Amino acid sequence: MTESRELEKARRDVLDLSLRNPLLNFRPSKRRGLEVVDELSREVFRILVRGERVMYFLPAPEGRAAAESPGDVPSELLALLAEPVEDPDGTAARHTDNKLQTALTLASLNLRLRASFRQARLSIEEQGVNILYLALGMLRWYESETSTVERRAPIVLIPVALARSGVRENFKLTWTRDEIEANLSLETKLNRDFGVRLPEMSPEEDLDVEDYLSRVERAVAKRDRWSVARNEIHLNFFSFSKLLIYKDLDPETWPEGNRPGDHPLVRQLFGGDGFANGAPGIGDDEHIDGHSGAAGLHPVLDADSSQTLAVLDATNGRNLVIQGPPGTGKSQTITNLIGEALARNRTVLFVAEKMAALEVVKRRLDAVHLGDACLELHSHKTNKRAVLDGLRRTLALGRPKAGRGTEDRVLLEEARSRLNEYSRAVNSPVGKSELTPHELVGRLAKMAADGQAVEGAGLPIRGSVSWSAEDFARRRELARELQELVRAIGIPREHAWWTCGRLHFLPADVHSVRKLVAKASEALRRLEGTTEAPALGVAADFRKLRPGDIERIVRTARRYVEAPALLGADHRNPAWADDGERIAELASAARAYAT
């Protein structure tokens, strides 16, 4: 089947059998991890795993040179191997204590342990996976018969943890009680490329490290220059996540008919036609509160319409991907999905690449009292006993008791009804304009951003609410024409002919206007030759007069005409201008006297 072939191809892509993988080509780091020297693998396994004891690290003996690079062992430490032993099998007293000898000075040892501690903690916090292992035994192998580069690969990997009670205390090493791993990458690499099958490793309760290393040694004995360094021990970081995925997808480990390639989702994923989902149950423009499916949901956290639609689609069995930037409510939606599944008596498997994502959802579930429904299965803190204790605690809780909540439901329905009415109002067209308040407010906001906002109460236009779309288009065209006219002649109030008061000017009016202009020009010429012209403030050249000057002259002339005859007055006397204040006082006194 095409789906099975594509799945097998994707499965092979997951597997990293390159020399970048430290499980195949181990190279010690100068900054983190360390090598344990002058120790026996079988004794370390007995103390750390069998006895479940705490082990400590020893620096190089005082006064002896320490290793300058990973893999080097001081000659002084090598001399210790010649010391007398207590057992005929090569076991000395220093091999049976809980101290792990290193070839580093005390300062270098502490630096390495601190760096390893921080890296291990970071991996647990981000991914929830412990990748710190104590490797017992090392396979030394070559890529080909002509290769001169020796490769090293760890054989037995014990998951361990570094801890200390205080910053001034020594680091201690403990077994995490997780499953002890064989080097699965090495097994796959040797089987595929060299036809070498490594022996199967027994569970930790039955594991004999010495015997297993001996069997590995016999398995590779036919390969030229290959060997097993039984007592080469390293504390370092190794990751099995991708290889475990590779093994889980092996169709041979699944029963017939229930293999990964037989699952409908996998067949749709690799079949080329994609997921055969129908249309969503609710359209984007429908009111979700009125839908019968949405009314039956049990949200435990606030949710907007898009989040509610996602929960409804998932509940109805649709396959979907929810994506969005941080802070858009993805973990909130996942929490509602889990709560809905619990309300419908379903189970949920929630996995994430980052531990932080799991913890966020778990905290949200704890906040709504659903945390006890969660069973933590894949975490550095989880073991068989913890799983059983979690099941026992949850079963002992009994059936939850909930209040009637009648008042809350009434208030919820009332608030929901008000919000829906508001939503319908702002999204319904105003009159016959086909424009909603939502769109109109948006246009006003855009005008405000462009510096064209209508101030105060806006621009009231009587009867505009009842305009049809045609009425609106016709008036908009009139407004456009007015805008063009204003652009051509300027602001009407500031126009030279504004004071004439004429609203219309036709070609037939040109003759009468010319007659009036001629009469006015003739009157100005006559005035220019009289003695009254300077008193009116008329300039010698009438063509230089501005509209404001003309208005002032007209007002002065009217007062001049209306004033009584002042015979014998010297209008040209400069005292009228120089003694203006005294004249004003005299005029005021005269008005008071007349009253």
Side-chain angles (χ1 to χ4, degrees), residues 20 45 62 82 91 143 153 180 188 192 216 227 261 266 271 283 305 313 355 373 390 402 429 434 442 545 560 590:
R20 296 187 301 270
F45 183 84
E62 195 70 29
T91 306
E143 295 179 79
I180 295 175
T188 307
R192 285 182 53 179
V216 171
S227 63
V266 177
S305 58
D313 286 343
M355 188 67 178
E434 299 182 1
L545 294 176
Y560 183 82

Side-chain angles (χ1 to χ4, degrees), residues 151-170:
R151 310 293 183 182
R152 291 189 291 172
I155 299 177
V156 179
L157 295 149
I158 303 174
V160 293
L162 279 174
R164 58 177 175 177
S165 53
V167 293
R168 298 184 179 274
E169 300 295 329
N170 293 328

Side-chain angles (χ1 to χ4, degrees), residues 165-278:
S165 53
V167 293
R168 298 184 179 274
E169 300 295 329
N170 293 328
F171 280 96
K172 54 186 179 182
L173 188 74
T174 56
W175 174 42
T176 63
R177 294 182 177 83
D178 289 333
E179 185 178 355
I180 295 175
E181 304 281 359
N183 191 337
L184 303 180
S185 296
L186 181 63
E187 291 182 5
T188 307
K189 175 74 172 179
L190 297 186
N191 187 27
R192 285 182 53 179
D193 295 353
F194 302 99
V196 175
R197 296 184 63 87
L198 293 182
E200 183 177 353
M201 192 173 71
S202 305
E204 55 265 17
E205 58 268 16
D206 301 325
L207 178 59
D208 184 339
V209 170
E210 190 73 16
D211 176 67
Y212 179 71
L213 293 174
S214 298
R215 288 189 288 134
V216 171
E217 196 171 31
R218 290 194 295 271
V220 300
K222 294 182 179 181
R223 304 298 303 184
D224 188 28
R225 297 181 295 166
W226 287 28
S227 63
V228 174
R230 299 189 183 189
N231 296 318
E232 185 173 346
I233 303 173
H234 290 268
L235 176 70
N236 222 296
F237 297 92
F238 304 95
S239 177
F240 292 86
S241 58
K242 292 185 177 180
L243 188 63
L244 292 176
I245 295 175
Y246 175 80
K247 291 182 70 69
D248 287 343
L249 293 177
D250 185 0
E252 298 302 324
T253 60
W254 293 74
E256 186 70 29
N258 288 323
R259 293 172 176 172
D262 299 328
H263 196 280
L265 287 181
V266 177
R267 297 178 64 179
Q268 290 178 7
L269 181 64
F270 291 99
D273 297 331
F275 295 106
N277 279 333

Side-chain angles (χ1 to χ4, degrees), residues 516-590:
L516 288 173
V517 170
K519 290 175 64 177
S521 299
E522 179 62 25
L524 285 174
R525 280 194 294 271
R526 289 197 306 270
L527 180 63
E528 186 178 12
T530 66
T531 59
E532 287 83 358
L536 295 175
V538 177
D541 189 355
F542 289 97
R543 290 170 298 182
K544 295 183 179 180
L545 294 176
R546 295 187 298 272
D549 298 330
I550 296 176
E551 292 179 2
R552 178 178 52 78
I553 293 172
V554 169
R555 288 195 303 270
T556 304
R558 284 174 179 166
R559 297 296 299 273
Y560 183 82
V561 171
E562 294 171 358
L566 300 176
L567 299 176
D570 185 4
H571 299 156
R572 299 178 182 274
N573 195 308
W576 293 105
D578 298 339
D579 298 333
E581 293 183 0
R582 292 177 57 196
I583 295 173
E585 291 177 0
L586 178 62
S588 178

Side-chain angles (χ1 to χ4, degrees), residues 25 63 157 165 197 280 320 348 381 426 438 507 509:
N25 183 25
L157 295 149
S165 53
R197 296 184 63 87
L320 66 156
V348 179
K381 300 179 292 185
V426 299
H438 183 200
D509 298 330

Side-chain angles (χ1 to χ4, degrees), residues 96-125:
T96 58
D97 59 14
N98 65 338
K99 308 295 191 301
L100 294 173
Q101 180 66 55
T102 69
L104 301 170
T105 62
L106 180 60
S108 298
L109 176 62
N110 287 332
L111 285 175
R112 294 279 192 92
L113 291 175
R114 281 197 295 269
S116 301
F117 171 74
R118 286 194 293 266
Q119 179 63 31
R121 183 177 59 185
L122 181 64
S123 174
I124 290 173
E125 290 176 350

